[in-house]
Structures are given as C-alpha cells and as structure tokens.
Amino acid sequence: MKATHYVLMGLLVVGLTVSCSSQDNKAPVDVVREWTDALKAGDFQKMASVMHPEALTEFKEILLPVMQGFQESIAQDTTGVAQVPDSLKQQLAGIDQLEPAQFYPQAMNVLTSIVPDLRQSLSGMTSTVIGGVPEGDTLTHVVTRTQAAYMGQPMISDVDVVSVKKSDANWRIMLTGNIRGLAEGIRSAFFGRG
C-alpha cells in the first residue's frame, strides 16, 4: 500500500511538472481563441506568437512588396505633400530585414497606422469558437463565427474555418483564405501589383 502511495505521488509530481512546463501546448480551439482575443486587442506581437512559422513566412512574402511600395512612395515624395509621420517612417525602416515573426507585428502596425479605422474595427470584433475538426494528428480545422461593426453598423458576420497546425509540440495558426485575400487585396489596392 505504501509503495502504491509513493508511485501515485511520483506520477502526480511528474504530471504536474509536465503540465506546468508545457503550458504553451494548448488545444487548437484555445489557440484560436487566444489569437482572436489578441486580434481584437490589437496585440499583433501576441498574434505572431501563436502563428505557425509557415504562415508567418507566407504573410511576409505577400506583404513585403506592400511595405516596400510604401517605402518607395515616401522616398519619392520630395515635396512633403504626403506629410508622412516620422513614426511611420521608423516603422518601415528595415522592415524587409526582419524575420517573419517580427515582420508580422511590424507590418500590422504599419497598416493600422495608415488606416487607423482598422484598429477601431478590430476592437469591435467578436469571435466565437464553434468547434474543431481534426484532420490527422497534426492539423485541426476550427470553425469560428466572427462579427464586426464599424461606427455602430454591422460590417461583417461570417463563419470561417481557421486551420491550426502543429509546430513542434504546439498548435499554431495558419493563414486563412480571408487573411491571404486581405493581404492580396491590400497589395492590389495600394499598388496594383499582383
């Protein structure tokens, strides 16, 4: 009996140690909730921390030409007509040299500086996780309902699927079609580049 007690205590200690040391290993639906909460709060650094490295690399590939286009436009404005704030110039300085995990929050800060209403729209967003569907051991698709308003008027009411993929032992967000489309739309709208 005493031996069983020691074995159970040992297992409990090992279990607590594993659970305390792997707090980052959250369920896919919890990772999506964390990501949408960070989006609503405008915490782009936190968003990047729960995104899959492949998604961060893809985001940089899609939006780097946009950031470079902004830099070129600012450099070509020798008259000062655009009146670009120094803070925006600083955000763009060296952005092309950033690793994807640093590029994501910096690019999002640039976009919300250029389109300040975007941050307000994000803060008014609500996202509800409906559930998740696993596809094998390393990929899960999480269904969410997102609603957003702008100036009190409903702007978006959408059901979306967010794919979450394992990176090492942790679940990480992949780019959704909406995010990919948004990034491509921004690039086309500002610079007409495909």
Side-chain angles (χ1 to χ4, degrees):
M1 187 72 153
K2 203 172 196 179
T4 305
H5 178 73
Y6 285 120
V7 169
L8 289 174
M9 287 301 290
L11 289 173
L12 179 62
V13 168
V14 170
L16 288 173
T17 303
V18 169
S19 96
C20 289
S21 64
S22 63
Q23 290 177 357
D24 193 38
N25 193 8
K26 297 176 179 145
V29 294
D30 294 331
V31 172
V32 172
R33 281 188 191 104
E34 187 174 352
W35 186 76
T36 57
D37 288 347
L39 176 62
K40 183 176 178 168
D43 187 347
F44 305 127
Q45 189 69 42
K46 180 63 176 172
M47 289 176 68
S49 76
V50 295
M51 290 179 69
H52 196 281
E54 292 172 15
L56 292 167
T57 298
E58 184 179 0
F59 185 85
K60 183 175 180 180
E61 289 170 0
I62 292 169
L63 275 183
L64 183 58
V66 174
M67 298 298 124
Q68 291 170 328
F70 289 148
Q71 288 172 322
E72 290 169 15
S73 295
I74 291 168
Q76 292 172 1
D77 181 27
T78 57
T79 62
V81 172
Q83 297 181 354
V84 176
D86 288 337
S87 61
L88 181 58
K89 291 177 185 176
Q90 290 169 354
Q91 289 173 341
L92 285 165
I95 197 166
D96 56 332
Q97 301 300 312
L98 296 175
E99 292 297 318
Q102 287 76 43
F103 177 86
Y104 181 88
Q106 193 72 2
M108 292 298 290
N109 281 321
V110 167
L111 293 174
T112 56
S113 293
I114 292 170
V115 186
D117 292 344
L118 179 59
R119 194 174 290 268
Q120 180 184 358
S121 295
L122 294 175
S123 69
M125 181 187 79
T126 60
S127 186
T128 305
V129 173
I130 298 169
V133 179
E135 183 180 331
D137 295 336
T138 60
L139 186 65
T140 295
H141 307 287
V142 178
V143 179
T144 63
R145 179 182 316 280
T146 303
Q147 296 175 314
Y150 178 69
M151 298 182 73
Q153 298 298 313
M155 188 171 76
I156 298 172
S157 182
D158 194 22
V159 174
D160 200 11
V161 176
V162 180
S163 295
V164 186
K165 185 176 178 181
K166 281 236 174 156
S167 176
D168 296 322
N170 299 306
W171 292 100
R172 295 292 181 243
I173 302 283
M174 299 300 290
L175 284 188
T176 66
N178 288 348
I179 294 172
R180 194 176 293 110
L182 174 66
E184 292 287 357
I186 290 168
R187 183 164 62 178
S188 295
F190 279 99
F191 305 105
R193 297 180 190 172

